[in-house]
């Protein structure tokens, strides 16, 4: 890669991820990272991001085999969220008897569904390299 193309790639990555850090690895550590990256078809940076996500307790990026099932679950969670919103709206509009505790419970469950859906969506986003390789 020539110097101009490399600078453009770095600027593009900076816009996507925001922050850049420099880390020193031993030759063995870097070889391990490169092997993992090669096996998964991602960059070394993506491997490091995945490791950080795992350590921080986030869900991992889904493999290609799991991707269709996770996309389906995400859609089902969206539908559940829509139903929760309709139930809360019906209470707010007075179409059904209002129960403050039930409304709060529905809102809390709806928020959990929305949060889990976002986490599942993040699992299927993957790296830019993987997205570009998909048909």
């Amino acid at each position: 890669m020539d110097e101009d193309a490399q600078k453009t790639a770095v600027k593009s990555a900076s816009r996507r991820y925001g922050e850049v850090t420099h880390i020193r690895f031993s030759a063995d550590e870097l070889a391990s990272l490169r092997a993992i990256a090669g096996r998964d078809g991602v960059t070394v940076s993506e491997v490091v991001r995945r490791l950080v996500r795992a350590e921080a307790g986030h869900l991992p990026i889904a493999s290609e085999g799991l991707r269709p099932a996770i996309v389906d679950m995400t859609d089902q969670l969206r539908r559940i969220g829509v139903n929760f919103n309709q139930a809360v709206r019906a209470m707010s509009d007075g179409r059904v008897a209002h129960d403050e505790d039930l409304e709060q419970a529905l809102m809390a469950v709806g928020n959990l569904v929305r949060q889990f859906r976002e986490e599942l969506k993040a699992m299927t986003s993957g790296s830019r390299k993987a997205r570009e390789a998909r048909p």
Side-chain angles (χ1 to χ4, degrees):
M1 181 181 295
D2 69 15
E3 191 173 329
D4 288 336
Q6 190 172 18
K7 286 180 183 179
T8 301
V10 169
K11 286 180 184 178
S12 178
S14 294
R15 280 192 295 270
R16 274 194 321 278
Y17 298 110
E19 299 293 327
V20 176
T21 189
H22 300 278
I23 306 169
R24 295 185 189 278
F25 292 104
S26 70
D28 290 342
E29 291 168 335
L30 189 55
S32 295
L33 286 170
R34 286 182 176 148
I36 294 167
R39 179 195 70 206
D40 294 348
V42 297
T43 64
V44 170
S45 294
E46 182 64 22
V47 171
V48 172
R49 279 190 291 277
R50 288 178 181 184
L51 292 169
V52 170
R53 285 179 54 81
E55 185 65 26
H58 297 288
L59 293 172
I61 300 299
S63 67
E64 288 301 319
L66 287 177
R67 189 172 304 282
I70 292 173
V71 168
D72 183 53
M73 283 188 283
T74 302
D75 187 53
Q76 289 178 30
L77 284 171
R78 181 191 58 77
R79 292 175 189 176
I80 291 168
V82 167
N83 289 339
F84 277 111
N85 287 339
Q86 288 174 346
V88 171
R89 192 172 300 122
M91 271 192 251
S92 297
D93 293 347
R95 290 180 276 148
V96 295
H98 186 269
D99 181 325
E100 184 69 29
D101 291 336
L102 180 58
E103 182 180 18
Q104 293 300 317
L106 286 172
M107 289 172 56
V109 171
N111 287 334
L112 288 173
V113 166
R114 191 172 15 267
Q115 178 185 356
F116 190 55
R117 181 172 173 253
E118 291 304 313
E119 289 179 9
L120 285 174
K121 282 172 59 176
M123 286 178 70
T124 60
S125 65
S127 69
R128 180 177 55 95
K129 184 177 179 182
R131 285 191 307 271
E132 289 172 353
R134 280 188 221 129

